Amino acid sequence: MRYVFHPEALTEYAEAVRYYMEKRVEVAQAFIDAVEDAVYRVKESPTRYTMIDEDVRRCMTRKFPYGILYTVEQDYILILAVMHCSREPGYWKSRREV
């Protein structure tokens, strides 16, 4: 199943990569690998992960405090957020209306 990032989720992802790049390139690459792994796991089994709000599910990344929040649409997976776990819960809810 294909996946699509909501534009704001893609921005979050890019900002997080930039943040880790300022620390060390190796850490940024490990973060990218962790997000790609989580997205791969979601693609392989989209209904496996915990539903956190109506039709929104969350898959946690490994080694980093981030969750991939997504919905399963008819023909694709919509990634709503690449959310740091310390962010205010629910900030992403308006993205479901797009």
Side-chain angles (χ1 to χ4, degrees), residues 21-82:
M21 284 287 275
E22 291 174 3
K23 305 297 179 194
R24 284 186 39 218
V25 172
E26 298 84 3
V27 177
Q29 186 59 56
F31 175 71
I32 292 167
D33 293 345
V35 170
E36 287 180 0
D37 173 67
V39 170
Y40 175 79
R41 289 183 284 132
V42 166
K43 283 177 47 181
E44 290 300 303
S45 186
T47 58
R48 173 181 179 189
Y49 297 96
T50 304
M51 210 171 280
I52 61 165
D53 187 74
E54 295 180 22
D55 61 341
V56 178
R57 295 177 182 271
R58 180 183 64 200
C59 175
M60 297 300 296
T61 61
R62 295 180 175 137
K63 299 182 184 178
F64 290 88
Y66 281 82
I68 307 302
L69 279 57
Y70 66 96
T71 61
V72 180
E73 304 298 326
Q74 186 172 354
D75 298 323
Y76 63 97
I77 295 165
L78 174 61
I79 298 174
L80 294 169
V82 179

